[in-house]
């Protein structure tokens, strides 16, 4: 009866969530009601370009500044690390009030430096990024019968030898009538009395709208400087401005000012507020994207299944044959046959550099756990593109919290290799907390000097460096030490067989074993190379990545394939009497990082061939190295832990004297 009651409550809860979903919004993602005539302020983000990958501040160019002064918007840690610098702008609208020919300002005459910078930004195809109610400005263009979507608009364009700037913006704001769901108030306050209809002053009859779309059309128009000389900001331009995006006329010249203006039109739309990001998340060739991922999943699953079945049958046959023999026959079999049975006295011999192996495994557990939890939360919608910067912030948060797991696994493995000896666990814990973060800080600091030298907003401010160091040493390091303490107190894993004092000689191999280890990374690479293309495009081509559900499935497939590949390689090495499996098990699956780095170079040469300048290429290679190193630690840890479990299970399942 209790079970039925709980099931009924669960069904009722699911029903309420699905039926009343319009009243539930994730934290930081809720509709904002604007009444007619309310002010809407447009914000500006950093100027970006896929030609250089160096973001610059909006006001690094001679654009109009707001009358109240430039103010930074509240930014989270992820936005700062991604190079976003969100500031206020002089563009202001009134809800559902169309305005035309609005004068903004006329800049001072361009100096030689400003003229040079403007030409460079136009040559490098920099885009201006505007934001209204957390929606980036979107621009539609037509090419060969296809409608293309772009976020932002270009600073200008070069025609022949002349440079033209887009100084007039035509905005279109799509709005939808505010839908006040009573259940939203109930879920927000817990006050059921608000469900009762009120009579009189309720405020519900006041018309309100939500912003569901933000479009921009840039134009290049020559303004009469004599007419705008006495105009103030937001006054109407004396004559009508005809915005034609197909023609340009405002060329920039040294010593000549630039006048800026805009117009805005509001249009009621059927787009509902929860669907307003659909226009940004549409991806060209989506059918090919879905088909490729599904095809990759099926092929890899099929291959992994075959490997797993063959592997199980082989091992089971060896175990069955060995256990069915009596002790005399077993002794004779040990003398006559070669294989994994002969390395019983050396299979658990401590590897070379055992502390380094423990440190890398601990960091791999931390990175893998961070990836799984972050992608899972992103797939559930908690880190959507609408919440700018939350993905990076979440990754940092989960990485720090999982320092407990890193210290625990590293110290427990250290004690297992040392047969329960606690000596040195503090040193291992401290090294785990500093190994990967130290390498990451070294790479980021080196790249940051390049960004500082280029005066890019992508450079991490010194204050943020201090914050990151405080997070590292005040949160991550203590949690790792706590995990190491727990690992030191936990019972170590006992080996099922004794290790001989004298190492067994390894027979000469027909081919280098490391060659097979390095080649093993091709199968894990096959599980993610299609998804890797879309991830790289979202990072370096300015596209929005949102299919986290498929990414989570690919991650699970990657874990399974890495484990199986490492198991097979470990078994093959044991069969040829090579008992040095520890590091080879780690790099058998970790070698996928080599192929990812080669793919990154291929992507740089063929897909980012327009990337200009040594600074941009250095940034790309530096970030790629950091990503590849993290992937190597995570995938190598998967392979090592699965192989360790397999070897322990294999030799504990056989009666050996």
């Amino acid at each position: 009866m209790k079970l039925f009651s709980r099931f009924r409550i669960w069904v009722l809860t699911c029903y309420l969530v699905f039926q009343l979903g319009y009243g539930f919004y994730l934290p930081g993602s809720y509709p904002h009601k604007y009444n007619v005539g309310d002010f809407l302020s447009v914000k500006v983000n950093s100027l970006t370009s896929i030609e250089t990958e160096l973001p610059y501040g909006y006001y690094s160019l001679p654009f109009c500044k707001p009358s109240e002064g430039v103010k930074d918007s509240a930014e989270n840690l992820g936005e700062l690390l991604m190079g976003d610098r969100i500031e206020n702008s002089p563009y202001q609208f009134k809800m559902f009030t169309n305005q035309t020919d609005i004068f903004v300002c006329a800049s001072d005459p361009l100096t030689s430096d400003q003229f040079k910078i403007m030409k460079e930004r136009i040559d490098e195809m920099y885009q201006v990024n505007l934001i209204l109610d957390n929606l980036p400005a979107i621009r539609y263009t037509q090419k060969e019968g296809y409608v293309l979507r772009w976020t932002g608009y270009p600073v200008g364009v070069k025609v022949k030898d002349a440079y033209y700037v887009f100084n007039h913006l035509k905005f279109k704001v799509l709005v939808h009538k505010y839908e006040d769901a009573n259940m939203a108030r109930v879920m927000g306050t817990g006050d059921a009395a608000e469900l009762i209809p009120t009579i009189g002053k309720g405020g519900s009859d006041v018309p309100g709208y939500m912003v569901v779309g933000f479009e921009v059309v840039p134009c290049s128009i020559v303004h009469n400087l004599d007419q705008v000389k006495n105009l103030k900001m937001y006054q109407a331009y004396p004559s009508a401005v005809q915005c034609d995006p197909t023609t340009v006329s405002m060329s920039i010249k040294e010593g000549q000012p630039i006048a800026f203006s805009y117009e805005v039109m509001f249009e009621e739309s059927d787009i509902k507020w929860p669907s307003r990001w659909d226009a940004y998340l549409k991806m060209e060739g989506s059918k090919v994207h879905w088909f490729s991922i599904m095809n990759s999943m099926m092929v890899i699953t099929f291959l992994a299944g075959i490997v797993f079945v063959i592997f199980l049958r082989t091992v089971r046959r060896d175990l069955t044959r060995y256990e069915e023999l009596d002790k005399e026959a077993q002794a004779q079999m040990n003398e006559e046959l070669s294989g994994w049975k002969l390395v019983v006295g050396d299979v658990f011999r401590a590897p070379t550099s055992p502390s380094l192996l423990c440190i890398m495994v601990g960091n791999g557990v931390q990175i893998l756990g961070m990836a799984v939890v972050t992608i899972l939360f992103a797939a559930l919608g908690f880190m959507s593109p609408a919440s700018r910067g939350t993905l990076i912030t979440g990754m940092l948060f989960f990485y720090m919290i999982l320092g407990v797991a890193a210290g625990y696994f590293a110290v427990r493995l250290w004690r297992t290799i040392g047969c329960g000896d606690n000596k040195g666990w503090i040193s291992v814990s401290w090294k785990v907390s500093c190994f990967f973060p130290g390498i990451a800080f070294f790479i980021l600091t080196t790249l940051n000097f390049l960004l500082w030298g280029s005066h890019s907003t992508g450079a991490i401010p010194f204050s943020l460096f201090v914050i990151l160091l405080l997070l590292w040493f005040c949160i991550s390091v203590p949690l790792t030490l706590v995990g190491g303490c727990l690992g030191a107190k936990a019972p170590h894993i006992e080996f099922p067989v004794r290790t001989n004092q004298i190492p067994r000689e390894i027979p000469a191999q027909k081919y280098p074993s490391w060659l097979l280890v390095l080649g093993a990374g091709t199968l894990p690479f096959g599980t993610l190379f299609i998804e890797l293309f879309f991830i790289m495009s979202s990072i370096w081509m300015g596209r929005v990545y949102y299919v986290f559900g498929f990414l989570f499935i690919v991650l699970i497939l990657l874990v399974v394939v890495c484990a199986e590949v490492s198991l097979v390689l470990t078994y093959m090495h044991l069969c040829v009497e090579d008992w040095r499996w520890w590091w080879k098990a780690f790099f058998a699956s970790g070698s996928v990082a080599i192929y990812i780095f080669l793919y990154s170079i291929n992507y740089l040469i063929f897909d980012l061939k327009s990337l200009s300048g040594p600074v941009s290429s250095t940034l790309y290679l530096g970030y790629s190295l950091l990503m590849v190193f993290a992937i190597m630690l995570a995938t190598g840890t998967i392979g090592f832990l699965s192989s360790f479990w397999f070897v322990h299970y294999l030799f504990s399942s056989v009666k050996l004297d």
Side-chain angles (χ1 to χ4, degrees), residues 563-574:
E564 292 180 347
V565 165
S566 185
L567 289 180
V568 173
L569 264 293
T570 300
Y571 180 71
M572 291 176 63
H573 282 99
L574 294 180

Side-chain angles (χ1 to χ4, degrees), residues 358-359 361-363 365-366 401-416 425 428-430 432-433 476-493 641:
C358 296
I359 292 166
V361 169
N363 279 266
V365 169
Q366 191 174 9
I401 296 300
L402 288 169
V404 177
Y408 177 83
F409 276 89
V411 170
R412 195 172 183 195
L413 179 60
W414 170 257
R415 294 182 65 243
T416 298
W425 73 267
V428 171
S429 300
W430 175 254
V432 168
S433 64
S476 181
V477 172
L479 288 177
T480 307
L481 292 175
V482 169
C485 181
L486 296 176
K489 294 180 180 179
H492 70 281
I493 302 173
L641 292 179

Side-chain angles (χ1 to χ4, degrees), residues 332-592:
Q332 184 179 1
M333 184 178 179
N334 284 339
E335 293 177 1
E336 295 178 355
L337 298 180
S338 62
W340 58 268
K341 285 82 63 176
L342 300 181
V343 296
V344 60
D346 300 275
V347 70
F348 290 109
R349 188 177 301 281
T352 56
S353 304
S355 62
L356 179 60
L357 178 63
C358 296
I359 292 166
M360 295 178 73
V361 169
N363 279 266
V365 169
Q366 191 174 9
I367 295 171
L368 181 64
M370 175 201 68
V372 171
V373 177
T374 303
I375 295 174
L376 180 60
F377 272 85
L380 294 175
F382 287 92
M383 298 175 183
S384 67
S387 303
R388 194 176 289 103
T390 55
L391 188 65
I392 301 296
T393 306
M395 290 174 64
L396 288 174
F397 174 77
F398 293 131
Y399 181 82
M400 290 187 298
I401 296 300
L402 288 169
V404 177
Y408 177 83
F409 276 89
V411 170
R412 195 172 183 195
L413 179 60
W414 170 257
R415 294 182 65 243
T416 298
I417 294 175
C419 298
D421 188 6
N422 277 341
K423 185 178 179 181
W425 73 267
I426 297 179
S427 175
V428 171
S429 300
W430 175 254
K431 291 176 182 177
V432 168
S433 64
C434 296
F435 182 67
F436 179 74
I439 294 175
F441 262 85
F442 174 76
I443 295 176
L444 291 178
T445 304
T446 304
L447 299 179
N448 214 51
F449 278 115
L450 296 177
L451 292 170
W452 273 335
S454 302
H455 305 287
S456 170
T457 58
I460 301 175
F462 180 76
S463 59
L464 183 57
F465 254 111
V466 175
I467 293 174
L468 292 175
L469 287 172
L470 290 175
L471 291 174
W472 180 9
F473 287 102
C474 296
I475 298 179
S476 181
V477 172
L479 288 177
T480 307
L481 292 175
V482 169
C485 181
L486 296 176
K489 294 180 180 179
H492 70 281
I493 302 173
E494 295 185 359
F495 296 140
V497 293
R498 292 190 302 269
T499 302
N500 297 332
Q501 293 183 353
I502 302 176
R504 179 185 177 87
E505 184 179 354
I506 300 174
Q509 307 296 324
K510 296 181 179 179
Y511 49 86
S513 59
W514 281 103
L515 188 62
L516 189 61
V517 169
L518 295 178
T522 55
L523 189 58
F525 178 73
T527 65
L528 52 81
F529 82 95
I530 294 177
E531 201 66 27
L532 188 62
F533 169 78
F534 292 98
I535 295 174
M536 299 283 282
S537 298
S538 67
I539 295 174
W540 301 106
M541 301 292 287
R543 299 174 185 172
V544 179
Y545 186 86
Y546 66 97
V547 285
F548 291 102
F550 271 94
L551 183 60
F552 186 75
I553 296 174
V554 171
L555 179 62
I556 299 301
L557 281 175
L558 179 65
V559 170
V560 174
V561 174
C562 284
E564 292 180 347
V565 165
S566 185
L567 289 180
V568 173
L569 264 293
T570 300
Y571 180 71
M572 291 176 63
H573 282 99
L574 294 180
C575 285
V576 294
E577 303 176 33
D578 187 354
W579 45 266
R580 297 173 300 184
W581 60 272
W582 300 77
W583 280 108
K584 293 174 182 177
F586 186 92
F587 287 109
S589 54
S591 62
V592 66

Side-chain angles (χ1 to χ4, degrees), residues 618-632:
T618 304
L619 288 173
Y620 176 85
L621 292 175
Y623 289 127
S624 297
L625 277 174
L626 181 60
M627 176 189 69
V628 163
F629 185 67
I631 292 175
M632 184 200 70

